[in-house]
Amino acid sequence: MFTGIVEELGEIVAVEPDGDSATLSIRGPLVTEDAVHGASIAVNGVCLTVVDVKDGVFTADVIKETLDKSSLGALRAGSKVNLERPVRLSDRLGGHLVQGHVDGVGELVSRATPLRDPWRR
C-alpha cells in the first residue's frame, strides 16, 4: 500500500524490451536505500516489484498489460518518474491508501482551464 505522496523524482536509466514485456532500470537513490529483491516501489503510481538494486538504481520487469494500461509504456531513457516506497504500518499516513495496481483505463474527453487563478486575489 502507498500513500500517493511522491518521495523522490527518479529517472529512467534504461528500457529493455523483452517480447511483449520490458525491464525498466530506474535511478532513485532515496527509494533504493532499503530496497531489496522483491520489494515494492511505486513508479508514477504503479506498483512494481524490485528485481535487482545496485548503486541507487533498481530494475523491475513490467508486463504488456501494465505497459498498455499505464503511463509506463511511454517511458524512455531520461524520462522523469515519481517514486514512492510502500507505507509501513508504523508510518503516519499523510496522504491516502493507494494500491498502485492498474484496474482499468480512462479516457480524458475534455479539459477546462479555470478562468482565473483561485489563489490570486
Side-chain angles (χ1 to χ4, degrees), residues 29-82:
L30 176 65
V31 299
T32 58
E33 284 179 349
D34 55 355
V36 295
H37 175 82
S40 295
I41 297 177
V43 178
N44 283 354
V46 178
C47 179
L48 297 182
T49 301
V50 173
V51 173
D52 192 24
V53 61
K54 183 178 180 182
D55 299 328
V57 174
F58 72 96
T59 59
D61 295 328
V62 185
I63 63 172
K64 181 182 185 326
E65 187 80 0
T66 304
L67 293 170
D68 290 346
K69 293 191 174 179
S70 72
S71 65
L72 302 187
L75 296 176
R76 302 292 177 257
S79 296
K80 302 297 185 196
V81 290
N82 295 324

Side-chain angles (χ1 to χ4, degrees), residues 108-121:
L108 181 64
V109 293
S110 68
R111 179 175 174 253
T113 305
L115 296 176
R116 64 176 184 82
D117 183 348
W119 302 107
R120 190 178 274 170
R121 296 186 184 260

